[in-house]
Amino acid sequence: AKIVRWCPCAGTVEDLKTIMTRGTPLILLLAMQLIASAFHSCVGFQIPSFLRGPFGKKGSDYVGGRRRWVPKAALSSVEVLDDQALKRVLLKHPSGSEATVYPFGATLTSFRTFDGEEVIAVRKDAKMDGSKAISGGIPHCFPQFGPGELPQHGFARNMEWRIKELSDEFTRNAYVTLELTDNDETRKIWDKSFSLEYTVTLRDVALSTDLRVRNLDHTAHMEFTAALHSYWNVSSLANVEVVGAFKGARVIDRQQSPHVEGTEDEYVLRITEPTDKMYCNLPGEVVIKDTGYNRMLSVKSPTGFEDVVLWSPYGDESMGFDDFLCVENAAASSKVTVPPLDEWRASMRVDVRTLPRARS
């Protein structure tokens, strides 16, 4: 991705060269930049790049042509909407990007960048009435990932979470914090005293999540597995490559029965059949390259989630298999243990970038 840094006195180095060759006095240019920046902050019109200069978003990186310049005075907004079967929270960034989060299951169902491109996928068979967990988006798997002693993927995705905090009108990056604590219903399934706190933060071409799991018991340890079952929107699986530190990684093929454990031979993965593979202790980011959308999604977990799961119901038309790919951040190859009155944190971030041009 091409990175363009602001020149101290003009939009870019190229802009400055153009301006200087035309003979525009530097003092006049600086005055124009100052007036335009001040007017933009008050009125909000789009300033040409050569007029932004040091009075705009100084020092910012514009990666792959994806990031939109916005005035420092521009702020985010948050709305709680209750006009459908399920309540939802709409986050808006001043760049124009938006995200939608449902308190039911604390499920993120949409992330649109400022140019209107959707990053998240919701399956065509999803129920949005609360009758079952939302199929698609980014639902939670807690306190169990996959099948086991508890219901499939646990219960957190089927519960109504409480809105604990919303960003205010003075915040640049919009966010919502949701909370789920143990109750009569959860204790029937999993007799533990706990609290989950989940924050979704919206930026211009990025979105991040932070999960805090607290053990509220004074004496007993708490064990669980967890994951974000993320559905990423793709143009077609035929156009997609998944790139990461896969080669040499320990992989568990969960599509097989019984599961088969081995070592991955490739750095670049393609989906051509039903897939359910867990890559254990995978470092760094995983990049989903999509030539149909001409973009890359960089998915990484700065803390907590050490495993990555690739899942696709390839060939299942009822799910709309060709519209999405699940690349999931997980802590599932071994159980997480939290001591009494302690906590565990896990985060995820996705960045949207333009595919670099192929070298001729």
Side-chain angles (χ1 to χ4, degrees):
K2 182 182 179 182
I3 298 178
V4 180
R5 294 189 181 275
W6 294 119
C7 172
C9 57
T12 65
V13 173
E14 290 79 9
D15 289 335
L16 178 59
K17 289 178 179 179
T18 300
I19 293 165
M20 294 305 290
T21 55
R22 291 178 180 176
T24 305
L26 183 58
I27 189 68
L28 178 59
L29 172 63
L30 290 173
M32 291 169 62
Q33 289 173 343
L34 181 58
I35 294 170
S37 180
F39 193 63
H40 187 180
S41 297
C42 297
V43 179
F45 75 99
Q46 189 68 24
I47 303 175
S49 63
F50 74 90
L51 288 180
R52 296 174 195 160
F55 310 108
K57 198 173 181 184
K58 185 177 180 180
S60 292
D61 289 342
Y62 285 69
V63 183
R66 283 279 177 180
R67 188 155 294 165
R68 170 180 287 181
W69 182 86
V70 292
K72 290 185 177 181
L75 300 172
S76 63
S77 66
V78 180
E79 294 180 76
V80 179
L81 304 175
D82 201 7
D83 56 348
Q84 298 178 0
L86 295 175
K87 180 167 57 180
R88 64 197 189 279
V89 179
L90 178 62
L91 308 178
K92 294 184 178 181
H93 187 272
S95 67
S97 62
E98 297 184 357
T100 303
V101 185
Y102 282 77
F104 179 71
T107 304
L108 175 71
T109 59
S110 177
F111 166 35
R112 291 181 181 272
T113 55
F114 61 78
D115 49 8
E117 291 193 8
E118 180 60 73
V119 177
I120 306 296
V122 175
R123 276 174 22 193
K124 62 192 299 184
D125 62 339
K127 302 294 184 183
M128 306 298 290
D129 57 5
S131 60
K132 57 177 292 187
I134 297 173
S135 298
I138 302 184
H140 289 267
C141 301
F142 180 90
Q144 176 180 285
F145 175 74
E149 299 176 357
L150 304 179
Q152 172 88 354
H153 292 324
F155 53 74
R157 62 182 183 152
N158 299 299
M159 298 285 178
E160 186 75 19
W161 295 47
R162 180 178 72 89
I163 299 176
K164 182 177 182 180
E165 185 178 357
L166 299 170
S167 56
D168 58 33
E169 65 271 23
F170 303 109
T171 305
R172 185 172 182 83
N173 294 323
Y175 69 85
V176 57
T177 299
L178 302 167
E179 183 181 48
L180 177 67
T181 57
D182 62 286
N183 52 57
D184 291 342
E185 191 174 355
T186 66
R187 285 189 290 271
K188 290 177 183 177
I189 304 171
W190 194 55
D191 191 16
K192 302 292 182 182
S193 181
F194 70 92
S195 73
L196 304 180
E197 188 175 289
Y198 182 60
T199 299
V200 176
T201 302
L202 173 68
R203 295 171 172 82
D204 48 3
V205 288
L207 181 140
S208 61
T209 69
D210 182 74
L211 175 66
R212 302 176 68 173
V213 181
R214 294 188 177 95
N215 180 4
L216 303 182
D217 197 293
H218 287 255
T219 58
H221 284 65
M222 186 172 73
E223 292 186 339
F224 59 87
T225 54
L228 296 178
H229 201 317
S230 306
Y231 288 69
W232 304 110
N233 182 33
V234 300
S235 61
S236 171
L237 290 175
N239 299 328
V240 170
E241 293 181 344
V242 185
V243 183
F246 295 113
K247 189 171 184 179
R250 174 181 163 229
V251 58
I252 301 172
D253 190 343
R254 298 158 51 88
Q255 190 70 25
Q256 307 299 320
S257 183
H259 296 170
V260 176
E261 185 172 332
T263 302
E264 180 58 61
D265 297 325
E266 304 292 338
Y267 285 116
V268 179
L269 307 179
R270 296 173 179 83
I271 306 299
T272 58
E273 60 184 359
T275 301
D276 186 0
K277 292 184 178 181
M278 179 189 297
Y279 293 88
C280 307
N281 300 305
L282 194 74
E285 66 179 356
V286 174
V287 177
I288 304 169
K289 294 185 176 182
D290 189 333
T291 56
Y293 284 153
N294 191 37
R295 74 180 181 194
M296 304 185 298
L297 303 181
S298 167
V299 183
K300 58 186 175 184
S301 173
T303 183
F305 293 124
E306 296 183 349
D307 308 321
V308 171
V309 176
L310 260 62
W311 181 76
S312 170
Y314 190 90
D316 192 329
E317 295 286 356
S318 66
M319 293 188 188
F321 79 95
D322 203 36
D323 298 330
F324 67 87
L325 175 63
C326 289
V327 178
E328 310 165 30
N329 297 100
S333 59
S334 60
K335 288 186 177 181
V336 177
T337 301
V338 181
L341 300 178
D342 205 346
E343 70 174 31
W344 174 80
R345 298 186 70 163
S347 58
M348 184 275 292
R349 177 177 171 121
V350 57
D351 289 86
V352 186
R353 304 187 180 117
T354 301
L355 278 172
R357 293 179 181 177
R359 294 182 180 179
S360 57

